[in-house]
Amino acid sequence: MTAIYEPAPAILPLTLENMGYSAGGVPLLSGVTLRIPAGRRLIVMGANGAGKSLFLRLCHGLIDPTAGRRLWATGAARAEAQAMVFQRPVLLRRTAAANLEYPLALKGIPPHPRRESVERAMARFGLSALADRPARLLSGGEQQRLALARAWVMRPQILFLDEPTSALDPSATRMIEEMVMQFSDDGITLVMSTHNLGQARRLAQDVAFLHRGQLLEHQTAETFFAGPQTPEARAFLAGDLVW
Amino acid sequence: MDGALGIALGLIASGDPALMQIIMLSLRVTLAAVAIACAIGLPLGAALALSRFPGRGAVIVVFNALMGLPPGVAGLLVYLLLSRSGPLGGLALLFTPTAMILAQTVLILPIVVSLTRSVVEDLWAEYREQLLSLGAGRWRAVPTLLWDGRVSLLTGVLAGFGRASAEVGAVLIVGGNIAGHTRTMTTAITLETSRGNLGLAVALGIILLALTLMLNAAAWGAGQWARERLG
Ligand SMILES: Nc1ncnc2c1ncn2[C@@H]1O[C@H](COP(=O)(O)OP(=O)(O)OP(=O)(O)O)[C@@H](O)[C@H]1O
Ligand SMILES: [Mg+2]
């Protein structure tokens, strides 16, 4: 099943110009210059604390850069047609189906088409049997699938995923990866962070490597995995802990 | 004492009209006060939680302090407001149930505001980025946060109900304890006890205790139910 998109203005590419972010005078991310074209899968890699989550939150517009610029193709600083799946998604204290209805209601979509979208998304993500269950009582894997389904009903042009499988077992991880690939097959641009090397190899078309708040590498996945240019990235790939 | 208890149970069992009238008036006044305090306090508390303005800390401290406002002082305040020479004296509301509702609202409002502020503030810290991501701005998030905090909020509202139904001072001052008109359970207990009419006082005491028990059972049950059903 493919999604039918409303003719929305294309928000991609996303251009980051010398983007930086500091909190309390401490630079946490600096000098990030990067272009994210439509239709690609960009994997953001780096050790714990490298700035992956910060990078995604900045791109998504949850926080604003304190230096440099973030520019969507529409010229806006914050674009509508985006969604994000968080490292720890917040599900509302209501049923699984109601969690999917919520963003649609915010967009002002009337109840009838809203419910149809929700049912389709539930079926697509294998959640139909769980529709009436309280979302907070679902298992970790089910909650993550619900978070993906919620992103899906929003019909984003670009989806940000922050280590969506970091708390899941291998089979749940596989399932999420397959679903992520389906987003990509439908033409949705993906930006996903992970420090799981296997996962990065399976999903990446492009790689951005962050180290202590700096973007050290940005290449196609092939080039990156064949031979990273910086010693930090080489050490990261070799599995040495990088600080 | 035995005699009083016997009379009390007799009054309750027979559904004594004077007793029933007092109970109904008390409930009406307190429920109305709770409803008004919620209508004002829930949005106000949520707004206080989500807004940042100079003096916000002071406002929060004042509301927290007002939770301990002595009922007598609240009564006096409303009395001064409604007395013939007061700013609202023209409305002739003193010694009416409306005045009692107003006084009790003043008592409950700080509880509802403070509790809502703290519940919504905590939830907002947890939900903020997710809700922004889903397309809910700060103000659109208010109903969502109130709804997701409903169980904690309900506990607070019940505490407010408990405070209002138990207090004597405020309703006595602004209501005047007029038989058949502004006599509530607590003011009646005070009066009947001083008159030595223990039967009616004990009957009202039993009803008040039962009401408090029921409220607490309801609050506890709601909490349990929510934990099991909503996570
Ligand atoms: N608001 C903030 N104030 C101060 N420091 C912050 C803030 N947000 C993030 N940081 C710091 O910025 C650094 C990067 O954080 P970030 O969450 O982006 O790392 P990450 O790469 O996602 O790590 P992980 O793999 O553990 O999720 C960390 O050292 C973190 O402590
Ligand atoms: Mg992170």
Side-chain angles (χ1 to χ4, degrees):
Chain A
M1 191 180 72
T2 51
I4 304 141
Y5 291 96
E6 291 116 9
I11 61 172
L12 293 159
L14 169 62
T15 310
L16 308 175
E17 285 174 12
N18 218 11
M19 181 177 77
Y21 184 83
S22 32
V26 183
L28 300 171
L29 201 72
S30 51
V32 176
T33 298
L34 182 72
R35 208 164 149 277
I36 302 177
R40 303 282 292 182
R41 292 190 302 274
L42 171 65
I43 299 292
V44 181
M45 282 198 275
N48 286 129
K52 302 182 295 295
S53 298
L54 205 54
F55 173 79
L56 294 176
R57 288 160 66 218
L58 278 162
C59 290
H60 187 37
L62 296 172
I63 45 180
D64 291 324
T66 53
R69 293 210 298 168
R70 168 193 64 214
L71 256 180
W72 296 94
T74 53
R78 170 112 171 74
E80 281 282 315
Q82 346 169 24
M84 177 153 171
V85 173
F86 290 81
Q87 207 161 353
R88 285 182 294 267
V90 175
L91 298 174
L92 302 175
R93 290 191 173 85
R94 42 187 93 183
T95 64
N99 266 276
L100 296 198
E101 269 201 73
Y102 182 78
L104 300 180
L106 287 180
K107 281 181 201 253
I109 294 170
H112 188 67
R114 205 195 291 163
R115 248 162 247 137
E116 271 183 0
S117 292
V118 168
E119 265 169 40
R120 273 202 306 272
M122 284 296 206
R124 181 190 175 107
F125 289 88
L127 293 163
S128 296
L130 307 175
D132 296 323
R133 296 260 296 274
R136 295 259 180 158
L137 299 183
L138 298 176
S139 77
E142 289 163 349
Q143 291 201 9
Q144 201 55 274
R145 254 190 291 155
L146 185 60
L148 274 176
R150 184 168 61 179
W152 169 257
V153 294
M154 295 179 73
R155 300 187 170 177
Q157 293 178 29
I158 185 168
L159 173 66
F160 298 96
L161 301 122
D162 192 3
E163 300 196 33
T165 62
S166 59
L168 304 182
D169 68 21
S171 79
T173 297
R174 279 299 177 146
M175 195 177 222
I176 296 292
E177 284 180 15
E178 276 165 28
M179 291 171 172
V180 167
M181 284 304 287
Q182 285 178 27
F183 275 88
S184 180
D185 292 343
D186 283 328
I188 296 169
T189 307
L190 297 179
V191 181
M192 171 168 152
S193 74
T194 181
H195 48 221
N196 177 336
L197 278 178
Q199 182 167 66
R201 282 180 202 274
R202 285 191 292 275
L203 297 179
Q205 288 178 321
D206 301 312
V207 171
F209 178 73
L210 288 173
H211 177 68
R212 291 188 189 166
Q214 308 259 352
L215 177 66
L216 291 193
E217 308 219 8
H218 177 216
Q219 342 249 21
T220 62
E222 256 170 43
T223 322
F224 180 80
F225 289 117
Q229 287 164 359
T230 57
E232 290 85 353
R234 270 197 294 279
F236 182 80
L237 284 186
D240 299 337
L241 206 58
V242 186
W243 291 101
Chain B
M1 182 64 212
D2 263 3
L5 190 60
I7 297 170
L9 294 177
L11 284 172
I12 296 172
S14 68
D16 179 73
L19 179 73
M20 288 304 142
Q21 202 267 336
I22 292 172
I23 294 171
M24 291 324 286
L25 177 73
S26 298
L27 284 179
R28 199 185 107 208
V29 166
T30 302
L31 283 174
V34 168
I36 296 170
C38 286
I40 302 171
L42 291 174
L44 190 61
L48 201 50
L50 299 188
S51 59
R52 296 287 175 271
F53 56 90
R56 174 174 177 269
V59 174
I60 289 172
V61 169
V62 166
F63 271 110
N64 284 343
L66 285 178
M67 285 200 288
L69 183 71
V73 176
L76 180 61
L77 219 81
V78 174
Y79 183 92
L80 293 174
L81 206 67
L82 299 182
S83 70
R84 208 166 302 156
S85 53
L88 298 180
L91 298 176
L93 287 176
L94 207 55
F95 308 129
T96 65
T98 308
M100 301 197 294
I101 292 172
L102 199 60
Q104 291 203 336
T105 303
V106 170
L107 276 183
I108 310 171
L109 189 62
I111 299 182
V112 178
V113 170
S114 293
L115 182 90
T116 306
R117 192 220 21 103
S118 117
V119 167
V120 169
E121 206 166 287
D122 287 351
L123 269 184
W124 182 234
E126 184 191 345
Y127 283 32
R128 202 181 73 89
E129 294 206 336
Q130 181 74 71
L131 291 186
L132 289 178
S133 173
L134 293 176
R138 181 178 289 261
W139 299 115
R140 179 55 188 78
V142 167
T144 308
L145 295 170
L146 288 176
W147 181 244
D148 269 41
R150 58 198 179 273
V151 177
S152 321
L153 292 174
L154 180 67
T155 312
V157 169
L158 288 176
F161 186 91
R163 178 167 202 226
S165 61
E167 70 88 24
V168 196
V171 282
L172 188 61
I173 294 176
V174 304
N177 196 22
I178 303 163
H181 183 45
T182 58
R183 182 160 298 169
T184 65
M185 291 197 267
T186 54
T187 57
I189 289 176
T190 314
L191 179 74
E192 302 301 342
T193 305
S194 69
R195 274 183 182 167
N197 188 359
L198 293 182
L200 184 54
V202 171
L204 287 164
I206 292 172
I207 303 274
L208 258 178
L209 269 176
L211 193 66
T212 310
L213 260 176
M214 266 158 47
L215 274 178
N216 280 284
W220 185 81
Q224 287 300 104
W225 179 85
R227 253 186 297 288
E228 282 165 25
R229 288 285 304 136
L230 306 171

